Amino acid sequence: MKITIDDVEDYSIGAALLGTGGGGDPYIGSLLLSESLSKGGPLTLQQADDLPDDALLLVSAMIGAPTVMMEKLPSGDEAIASVRALESYLGQKAYGILAAEIGGLNALLPLVVGSTLNLPVIDGDGMGRAFPQLQMVTYSIEGNPSTPLTLTDEFGNTVLINTGDDETAEKFARSTVVAMGASALMACYPMTGAQVKASILRGTLTVALGIGRAIRQARQADEPPVHALLEHLAELDFSTSARLLFEGKIVDLFRETTAGFAVGTIKLDALDGGPDRMEIKFQNENLIAVRNGEVCAIVPDLICIVDQETAAPITTEGLRYGQRVSVLGIAAPAELRTEKALKVVGPACFGLEQPFVPLESAHL
């Protein structure tokens, strides 16, 4: 499969939705990807099952607070520098590039790197959504270390981190990112083709592209795009359930950047003027949606906020007082709902007291 410049807008919209509010602003990534594809031509998406077992694959991603990424735009050169630095340390050239997450900027950045370096990008990722911490990927859950990794800032400064476990790598990387101005480009999770096959969530780049197309085609046909989006999600193997959780207006918003994360809460009043209320907490990504005191969706299931009229996904840094929105819940891939995975990406990992309740069983 080829990704062309005509696919960029659809792909970025789909990636923004699957980012559940996080992953960085996809608009920035779409600009970088459009420029790269205009110079290098279409990009090859390779299926994981076609990878040579001994091939070297590297993850390329941005790390830091999304609110800062809006003000300090990457050039793309930092990502190339981090990949080259990790290749130099490993003494081996990369066969292809992987996405850590299929959300926001970090879904587009691997395509920019692959296009620039003329390397294939693998159709899949390690989250099936976006998460705020380095170890919250299926690559780590299945036992693949995130290090050695490299971080590069906008001045070309590069730091190599090599730790014994991914939680320590996250701590070291996060503190380094703060010193780099709260955003940096990273190359990490060096894996063989065999390791990728055993840990990747397959086909998620194609899923993102299809979601963006469904929203665009509904707008062009003058059909309700939120309704069309839900119909499209119901047809995918990616998720077992997708539902409309709430339609409301943002009446309160608290957001701050702390310890390298964007954290906060929004409150919604029902659009129909009724008594229903919803509160959503986020740490880069939306974590929990509570309606009238009852949990109706909780991480790792996806909580996606879109414009009520256009179905345009809204990132946590893009939330504004008075916005009229639809809140969607999407069941996470089965790989993220196992007992082993919930120890890494479940509610307790974000300091939430509520247990995980599958979207299909939650109160609505």
Side-chain angles (χ1 to χ4, degrees):
M1 179 178 176
K2 297 285 186 181
I3 294 289
T4 73
I5 196 167
D6 293 333
D7 296 319
V8 173
E9 183 175 355
D10 289 345
Y11 180 69
S12 64
I13 291 173
L17 183 90
L18 294 174
T20 68
D25 189 341
Y27 178 68
I28 300 169
S30 67
L31 294 178
L32 293 172
L33 181 57
S34 294
E35 181 182 9
S36 181
L37 291 175
S38 67
K39 295 177 179 176
L43 170 72
T44 300
L45 278 190
Q46 183 164 340
Q47 299 306 307
D49 292 330
D50 296 332
L51 288 172
D53 283 348
D54 59 351
L56 172 64
L57 287 303
L58 300 179
V59 166
S60 180
M62 195 166 188
I63 180 172
T67 44
V68 174
M69 296 175 194
M70 290 285 291
E71 300 175 0
K72 197 171 68 169
L73 305 182
S75 69
D77 294 342
E78 310 95 319
I80 303 301
S82 63
V83 168
R84 291 304 192 206
L86 187 52
E87 288 179 330
S88 178
Y89 179 78
L90 295 170
Q92 184 179 353
K93 291 290 187 182
Y95 172 91
I97 301 297
L98 290 165
E101 57 187 348
I102 186 63
L105 172 61
N106 275 335
L108 288 119
L109 189 63
L111 303 185
V112 175
V113 173
S115 175
T116 303
L117 298 179
N118 195 27
L119 295 176
V121 176
I122 314 310
D123 188 3
D125 76 302
M127 298 184 188
R129 46 163 295 157
F131 282 121
Q133 296 185 30
L134 183 60
Q135 74 279 9
M136 294 177 169
V137 292
T138 52
Y139 309 139
S140 178
I141 292 169
E142 295 303 323
N144 303 301
S146 61
T147 66
L149 66 81
T150 51
L151 295 163
T152 302
D153 68 9
E154 72 269 32
F155 302 109
N157 300 306
T158 297
V159 173
L160 172 73
I161 294 176
N162 204 350
T163 63
D165 63 81
D166 294 334
E167 287 75 14
T168 303
E170 162 65 25
K171 292 177 183 176
F172 285 12
R174 194 66 56 178
S175 60
T176 302
V177 168
V178 171
M180 286 179 160
S183 71
L185 278 298
M186 173 173 60
C188 57
Y189 283 101
M191 289 182 284
T192 65
Q195 289 172 316
V196 171
K197 292 175 191 176
S199 59
I200 196 170
L201 296 173
R202 289 167 168 78
T204 52
L205 276 64
T206 300
V207 169
L209 182 59
I211 288 172
R213 281 177 179 164
I215 293 174
R216 173 178 54 80
Q217 290 170 354
R219 292 173 183 167
Q220 291 173 340
D222 202 24
E223 298 173 352
V226 173
H227 179 72
L229 172 59
L230 286 167
E231 285 189 335
H232 177 77
L233 292 170
E235 296 172 353
L236 297 177
D237 293 332
F238 170 78
S239 174
T240 57
S241 178
R243 54 171 62 176
L244 178 64
L245 301 178
F246 200 72
E247 290 187 308
K249 182 173 76 173
I250 298 177
V251 295
D252 194 14
L253 166 64
F254 169 75
R255 179 177 52 217
E256 64 177 352
T257 300
T258 179
F261 297 108
V263 298
T265 303
I266 62 169
K267 295 180 180 179
L268 304 166
D269 279 357
L271 282 182
D272 62 7
D276 288 350
R277 302 286 185 272
M278 174 169 279
E279 180 173 309
I280 299 173
K281 293 182 178 180
F282 58 86
Q283 178 184 337
N284 287 9
E285 289 78 34
N286 302 312
L287 299 177
I288 181 171
V290 178
R291 178 172 178 163
N292 301 330
E294 299 280 351
V295 175
C296 55
I298 190 167
V299 66
D301 284 341
L302 287 69
I303 301 166
C304 307
I305 302 175
V306 302
D307 182 273
Q308 196 253 347
E309 292 291 334
T310 67
I314 303 173
T315 60
T316 51
E317 66 270 21
L319 295 168
R320 299 289 184 271
Y321 177 85
Q323 283 175 324
R324 300 164 72 89
V325 303
S326 298
V327 182
L328 312 182
I330 304 173
E335 292 89 338
L336 297 180
R337 292 172 147 201
T338 66
E339 184 176 347
K340 183 168 68 171
L342 289 175
K343 292 178 180 177
V344 181
V345 299
C349 303
F350 300 91
L352 298 174
E353 297 178 352
Q354 297 88 341
F356 173 66
V357 178
L359 180 71
E360 308 89 302
S361 306
H363 178 82
L364 185 62

